[in-house]
Amino acid sequence: MNARLTTSTTQKIALAIILISSQLVALPSSQAASKGWRYWGYFQSAPGSTTWKAAMTGPTVDIEDGAVEGWSFVFSSDDVPSVAPKTKPSFASICGKTKSDPDTKRIGLVIEFGSAAYAPKGEKVQKTIVRCVTTAKGSQGIDVLGQVIKVRSASSGLICGLNGFPKKECGVEITTPASLLKK
């Protein structure tokens, strides 16, 4: 599936991620401990890197051949995004068998659906998706994602659902699940 978004939509996505970031960081610590947000966190690993880095610009950026893109459904009360995918961003293991082509680029993609501890009520956490995506040289992160799964976004551009998870909500504030509270 190839779901290309317009420049206007991709700009809205980047703005929405930045807005959520500033809202989460600005919370008083007393409130942050009792509440937080569940949303799709976006991570990147540059070619040759073996660690995730939180992507604060949103998926409307150019990515290089050999990069790995990561998405993780997270719960966070103090940082955006706070929980990187558990799957290591190893381009060699994800795309090692995919031959390079001068007309395209290869991007590793990891999508993790989070924990049952903070999944929306009645929704089942899906299995992790790990794929090597061959895409056009000009593709951005959102293009790579859209080639693999269905993407649902808010009118602001915020990524709300991937592969139908969660079904309806979009970056909602919830009470911190008991299993995540520090004892």
Side-chain angles (χ1 to χ4, degrees):
M1 161 177 164
N2 189 354
R4 240 174 132 70
L5 299 177
T6 65
T7 301
S8 174
T9 300
T10 55
Q11 288 170 340
K12 287 178 185 176
I13 291 169
L15 178 60
I17 289 171
I18 291 166
L19 288 173
I20 284 179
S21 175
S22 64
Q23 289 172 357
L24 292 175
V25 174
L27 279 180
S29 60
S30 61
Q31 184 181 0
S34 64
K35 292 195 181 247
W37 288 263
R38 60 178 170 219
Y39 59 92
W40 280 101
Y42 178 44
F43 298 84
Q44 296 176 308
S45 182
S49 177
T50 58
T51 58
W52 291 114
K53 181 178 178 185
M56 301 309 286
T57 59
T60 57
V61 295
D62 293 324
I63 44 181
E64 296 179 53
D65 180 75
V68 181
E69 297 276 280
W71 290 87
S72 180
F73 191 69
V74 301
F75 171 83
S76 179
S77 59
D78 63 343
D79 195 13
V80 173
S82 62
V83 182
K86 294 174 191 160
T87 303
K88 299 291 180 202
S90 170
F91 180 78
S93 66
I94 298 170
C95 289
K97 295 180 181 178
T98 304
K99 295 186 188 240
S100 64
D101 174 339
D103 297 325
T104 61
K105 57 185 174 184
R106 299 160 301 153
I107 307 297
L109 179 64
V110 175
I111 305 166
E112 292 183 354
F113 292 85
S115 166
Y118 50 83
K121 187 176 181 173
E123 293 194 46
K124 185 178 177 185
V125 174
Q126 298 178 28
K127 287 180 69 174
T128 297
I129 296 170
V130 179
R131 298 258 171 81
C132 184
V133 179
T134 302
T135 189
K137 289 279 188 185
S139 292
Q140 297 179 328
I142 193 68
D143 302 316
V144 171
L145 185 63
Q147 282 182 239
V148 175
I149 61 167
K150 183 178 180 182
V151 178
R152 179 175 58 86
S153 62
S155 60
S156 67
L158 179 67
I159 302 297
C160 298
L162 299 179
N163 217 29
F165 183 86
K167 291 177 184 172
K168 295 182 179 179
E169 70 181 48
C170 189
V172 299
E173 183 178 30
I174 63 169
T175 300
T176 300
S179 62
L180 299 180
L181 290 173
K182 293 180 183 178
K183 298 180 183 196

